[in-house]
Amino acid sequence: SGAFEAKDWGNARSVRTLVGLAVQQRNLRIDVDGTDDDALSTLEEVDLRSACDIEGIGRTSQRSETAADILAELDAQIGQDELKKQVRTLVAQAELALARRDAGIDDGPVPLDHLVFAGPPGTGKTTIARLLGRLYHALGLLPSTTIVEVDRSVLVGSHIGETEKRTRAKIDEAMGGILFIDEAYALARGGTNDFGREAIDNLVPRLENDRGKFLT
Protein backbone atom coordinates (compact mmCIF):
# COMPACT_ATOMS: atom_id res chain seq x y z
CA SER A 1 0.00 0.00 0.00
CA GLY A 2 2.99 2.32 0.34
CA ALA A 3 2.12 3.10 3.96
CA PHE A 4 5.37 1.55 5.13
CA GLU A 5 8.32 -0.44 3.87
CA ALA A 6 9.12 -4.04 4.76
CA LYS A 7 11.86 -2.97 7.17
CA ASP A 8 9.27 -1.08 9.21
CA TRP A 9 7.54 -4.29 10.24
CA GLY A 10 10.28 -4.76 12.81
CA ASN A 11 8.86 -1.78 14.74
CA ALA A 12 5.45 -3.36 15.20
CA ARG A 13 4.81 -5.41 18.36
CA SER A 14 3.16 -8.05 16.16
CA VAL A 15 1.25 -8.49 12.92
CA ARG A 16 -1.77 -9.43 15.03
CA THR A 17 -1.61 -6.08 16.83
CA LEU A 18 -1.44 -4.14 13.57
CA VAL A 19 -4.31 -6.06 11.99
CA GLY A 20 -6.38 -5.65 15.16
CA LEU A 21 -5.87 -1.89 15.03
CA ALA A 22 -6.77 -1.86 11.33
CA VAL A 23 -10.02 -3.68 12.14
CA GLN A 24 -10.85 -1.07 14.79
CA GLN A 25 -10.14 1.74 12.33
CA ARG A 26 -12.35 0.05 9.74
CA ASN A 27 -15.19 -0.22 12.23
CA LEU A 28 -14.84 3.45 13.15
CA ARG A 29 -14.82 4.40 9.46
CA ILE A 30 -17.98 2.37 8.82
CA ASP A 31 -19.71 3.95 11.83
CA VAL A 32 -18.93 7.41 10.50
CA ASP A 33 -19.44 6.93 6.76
CA GLY A 34 -22.05 4.21 6.64
CA THR A 35 -21.68 1.36 4.13
CA ASP A 36 -23.02 -2.05 3.13
CA ASP A 37 -22.51 -5.32 4.99
CA ASP A 38 -19.75 -6.51 2.64
CA ALA A 39 -17.46 -3.80 3.99
CA LEU A 40 -17.54 -5.42 7.44
CA SER A 41 -15.22 -8.18 6.18
CA THR A 42 -12.89 -5.97 4.11
CA LEU A 43 -9.88 -3.97 5.26
CA GLU A 44 -9.13 -0.94 3.08
CA GLU A 45 -5.78 0.75 2.57
CA VAL A 46 -6.94 3.70 4.68
CA ASP A 47 -7.53 1.33 7.63
CA LEU A 48 -3.99 -0.06 7.45
CA ARG A 49 -2.56 3.44 7.06
CA SER A 50 -4.39 4.57 10.21
CA ALA A 51 -3.14 1.51 12.11
CA CYS A 52 0.43 2.25 11.01
CA ASP A 53 0.10 5.85 12.17
CA ILE A 54 -1.09 4.72 15.61
CA GLU A 55 1.77 2.23 15.92
CA GLY A 56 4.39 4.73 14.73
CA ILE A 57 5.26 2.80 11.58
CA GLY A 58 6.33 4.34 8.29
CA ARG A 59 4.94 7.76 7.44
CA THR A 60 3.87 8.90 10.91
CA SER A 61 5.76 12.18 10.58
CA GLN A 62 3.42 13.18 7.74
CA ARG A 63 0.37 12.92 9.94
CA SER A 64 -0.65 15.60 12.42
CA GLU A 65 -3.94 14.74 14.08
CA THR A 66 -5.66 17.06 16.53
CA ALA A 67 -7.53 16.34 19.73
CA ALA A 68 -10.73 17.20 17.86
CA ASP A 69 -9.96 14.50 15.25
CA ILE A 70 -9.54 11.87 17.94
CA LEU A 71 -12.60 12.95 19.92
CA ALA A 72 -14.61 12.60 16.71
CA GLU A 73 -13.46 8.97 16.52
CA LEU A 74 -14.54 8.50 20.13
CA ASP A 75 -17.95 10.01 19.44
CA ALA A 76 -18.38 7.65 16.48
CA GLN A 77 -18.30 4.63 18.77
CA ILE A 78 -21.68 3.26 19.71
CA GLY A 79 -22.78 3.68 23.34
CA GLN A 80 -20.37 4.27 26.25
CA ASP A 81 -21.83 7.73 26.85
CA GLU A 82 -20.53 7.97 30.42
CA LEU A 83 -17.04 6.94 29.38
CA LYS A 84 -17.05 9.53 26.60
CA LYS A 85 -17.94 12.20 29.15
CA GLN A 86 -15.07 11.10 31.39
CA VAL A 87 -12.59 11.25 28.51
CA ARG A 88 -13.76 14.75 27.59
CA THR A 89 -13.37 15.76 31.24
CA LEU A 90 -9.77 14.51 31.22
CA VAL A 91 -9.07 16.43 28.02
CA ALA A 92 -10.66 19.60 29.43
CA GLN A 93 -8.54 19.33 32.58
CA ALA A 94 -5.39 18.87 30.49
CA GLU A 95 -6.26 21.84 28.26
CA LEU A 96 -6.89 24.03 31.32
CA ALA A 97 -3.53 23.04 32.81
CA LEU A 98 -1.84 23.83 29.48
CA ALA A 99 -3.56 27.22 29.31
CA ARG A 100 -2.44 28.07 32.87
CA ARG A 101 1.12 27.14 32.00
CA ASP A 102 1.06 29.20 28.79
CA ALA A 103 -0.32 32.17 30.74
CA GLY A 104 2.51 31.90 33.27
CA ILE A 105 0.17 31.03 36.15
CA ASP A 106 1.81 27.63 36.63
CA ASP A 107 5.39 27.09 35.51
CA GLY A 108 5.68 23.39 36.27
CA PRO A 109 4.91 20.42 34.06
CA VAL A 110 1.28 19.55 33.39
CA PRO A 111 0.33 16.75 35.81
CA LEU A 112 -0.75 13.49 34.23
CA ASP A 113 -2.69 11.17 36.53
CA HIS A 114 -2.54 7.43 36.16
CA LEU A 115 -5.94 5.90 35.41
CA VAL A 116 -7.99 2.82 36.24
CA PHE A 117 -10.47 1.49 33.68
CA ALA A 118 -13.08 -0.70 35.34
CA GLY A 119 -15.57 -2.90 33.52
CA PRO A 120 -16.15 -6.39 32.12
CA PRO A 121 -14.32 -7.70 29.03
CA GLY A 122 -15.50 -6.26 25.73
CA THR A 123 -16.38 -2.80 27.02
CA GLY A 124 -13.63 -1.03 25.07
CA LYS A 125 -11.07 -0.40 27.83
CA THR A 126 -8.10 -1.06 25.55
CA THR A 127 -9.58 1.06 22.75
CA ILE A 128 -10.10 3.99 25.11
CA ALA A 129 -6.55 3.64 26.45
CA ARG A 130 -5.21 3.89 22.89
CA LEU A 131 -7.39 6.91 22.19
CA LEU A 132 -6.16 8.62 25.36
CA GLY A 133 -2.56 8.01 24.34
CA ARG A 134 -3.22 9.68 21.00
CA LEU A 135 -5.14 12.51 22.68
CA TYR A 136 -2.36 13.31 25.12
CA HIS A 137 0.15 13.13 22.27
CA ALA A 138 -1.96 15.50 20.15
CA LEU A 139 -2.10 17.91 23.09
CA GLY A 140 1.68 17.74 23.43
CA LEU A 141 1.60 16.07 26.85
CA LEU A 142 3.14 12.76 25.74
CA PRO A 143 5.93 12.54 23.17
CA SER A 144 4.69 9.24 21.75
CA THR A 145 1.46 7.38 20.94
CA THR A 146 3.11 4.12 22.03
CA ILE A 147 0.92 1.81 24.10
CA VAL A 148 2.52 -1.26 25.64
CA GLU A 149 -0.10 -3.85 26.56
CA VAL A 150 0.73 -6.34 29.28
CA ASP A 151 -0.97 -8.62 31.78
CA ARG A 152 0.12 -10.76 34.71
CA SER A 153 1.62 -13.44 32.46
CA VAL A 154 3.90 -10.86 30.82
CA LEU A 155 5.12 -9.20 34.03
CA VAL A 156 5.33 -12.08 36.53
CA GLY A 157 8.19 -14.54 36.28
CA SER A 158 8.72 -17.94 37.86
CA HIS A 159 11.85 -17.29 39.91
CA ILE A 160 13.38 -14.55 42.07
CA GLY A 161 14.53 -11.53 40.08
CA GLU A 162 12.73 -12.41 36.86
CA THR A 163 9.60 -10.39 37.67
CA GLU A 164 11.64 -7.30 38.52
CA LYS A 165 13.50 -7.56 35.21
CA ARG A 166 10.31 -8.05 33.20
CA THR A 167 8.44 -5.22 34.90
CA ARG A 168 11.23 -2.69 34.53
CA ALA A 169 11.70 -3.61 30.88
CA LYS A 170 8.03 -3.04 30.06
CA ILE A 171 7.96 0.28 31.93
CA ASP A 172 11.02 1.42 30.00
CA GLU A 173 9.40 0.29 26.75
CA ALA A 174 6.29 2.36 27.55
CA MET A 175 8.24 5.50 28.46
CA GLY A 176 6.78 8.48 26.62
CA GLY A 177 3.51 6.67 26.05
CA ILE A 178 1.13 4.36 27.90
CA LEU A 179 1.58 1.11 29.80
CA PHE A 180 -1.77 -0.68 29.70
CA ILE A 181 -2.00 -3.43 32.35
CA ASP A 182 -4.91 -5.69 31.54
CA GLU A 183 -6.61 -7.07 34.66
CA ALA A 184 -4.05 -5.33 36.88
CA TYR A 185 -5.81 -6.63 40.00
CA ALA A 186 -4.50 -10.11 39.13
CA LEU A 187 -1.01 -9.01 40.20
CA ALA A 188 -2.19 -9.08 43.84
CA ARG A 189 -4.21 -12.26 43.70
CA GLY A 190 -1.51 -14.68 44.88
CA GLY A 191 -0.95 -13.40 48.42
CA THR A 192 2.12 -11.94 50.09
CA ASN A 193 4.55 -14.60 48.81
CA ASP A 194 3.45 -14.40 45.19
CA PHE A 195 5.79 -12.90 42.57
CA GLY A 196 2.94 -10.61 41.51
CA ARG A 197 3.74 -8.53 44.57
CA GLU A 198 7.23 -8.04 43.21
CA ALA A 199 5.74 -6.55 40.03
CA ILE A 200 3.65 -4.14 42.13
CA ASP A 201 6.65 -3.20 44.27
CA ASN A 202 8.63 -2.29 41.15
CA LEU A 203 5.73 -0.53 39.44
CA VAL A 204 4.55 1.78 42.24
CA PRO A 205 7.81 3.76 42.68
CA ARG A 206 8.07 4.30 38.94
CA LEU A 207 4.52 5.66 38.82
CA GLU A 208 5.63 8.48 41.09
CA ASN A 209 9.28 8.94 40.14
CA ASP A 210 8.50 9.02 36.41
CA ARG A 211 5.19 10.87 36.70
CA GLY A 212 4.48 12.78 33.52
CA LYS A 213 6.88 10.67 31.48
CA PHE A 214 4.38 7.87 30.89
CA LEU A 215 0.86 6.81 31.89
CA THR A 216 -0.62 3.59 33.16
Side-chain angles (χ1 to χ4, degrees):
S1 69
F4 55 91
E5 299 177 357
K7 63 183 178 61
D8 291 315
W9 280 96
N11 296 328
R13 292 191 306 279
S14 69
V15 174
R16 180 181 298 177
T17 298
L18 192 65
V19 172
L21 285 171
V23 169
Q24 291 178 7
Q25 295 304 302
R26 177 202 62 192
N27 294 344
L28 287 170
R29 173 173 54 80
I30 290 172
D31 285 341
V32 173
D33 298 339
T35 187
D36 54 41
D37 291 340
D38 290 338
L40 292 173
S41 60
T42 304
L43 289 177
E44 301 290 347
E45 179 180 341
V46 65
D47 305 321
L48 287 169
R49 285 182 179 274
S50 294
C52 289
D53 286 335
I54 294 170
E55 280 295 280
I57 301 170
R59 59 185 185 90
T60 312
S61 60
Q62 300 176 19
R63 179 185 174 102
S64 180
E65 60 182 359
T66 66
D69 295 331
I70 303 165
L71 288 172
E73 287 189 23
L74 176 65
D75 289 338
Q77 296 191 43
I78 298 173
Q80 300 180 325
D81 292 339
E82 187 59 35
L83 186 54
K84 292 175 183 177
K85 291 179 182 178
Q86 292 175 358
V87 170
R88 287 188 175 275
T89 297
L90 289 171
V91 172
Q93 291 172 343
E95 289 177 332
L96 176 60
L98 284 169
R100 290 176 60 86
R101 186 182 67 182
D102 293 342
I105 299 173
D106 292 326
D107 58 3
V110 175
L112 294 178
D113 293 327
H114 298 287
L115 305 169
V116 175
F117 296 100
T123 53
K125 295 187 293 295
T126 305
T127 298
I128 297 301
R130 291 186 179 125
L131 281 170
L132 275 175
R134 292 167 58 202
L135 275 168
Y136 283 143
H137 176 66
L139 290 169
L141 297 175
L142 286 176
S144 170
T145 58
T146 296
I147 177 167
V148 178
E149 300 173 30
V150 300
D151 58 16
R152 178 186 167 90
S153 67
V154 173
L155 297 179
V156 179
S158 58
H159 57 268
I160 295 175
E162 184 181 7
T163 297
E164 178 181 1
K165 182 178 179 180
R166 288 187 180 191
T167 303
R168 290 185 175 182
K170 286 302 178 182
I171 294 173
D172 292 340
E173 184 181 343
M175 202 59 58
I178 287 181
L179 177 66
F180 181 79
I181 307 175
D182 191 25
E183 298 183 347
Y185 60 84
L187 294 175
R189 72 185 181 191
T192 55
N193 295 323
D194 182 74
F195 285 126
R197 290 284 179 178
E198 188 176 350
I200 295 172
D201 290 342
N202 280 275
L203 177 62
V204 170
R206 295 290 296 273
L207 295 181
E208 184 59 34
N209 295 338
D210 291 317
R211 182 176 294 274
K213 298 179 181 179
F214 80 113
L215 285 180
T216 59

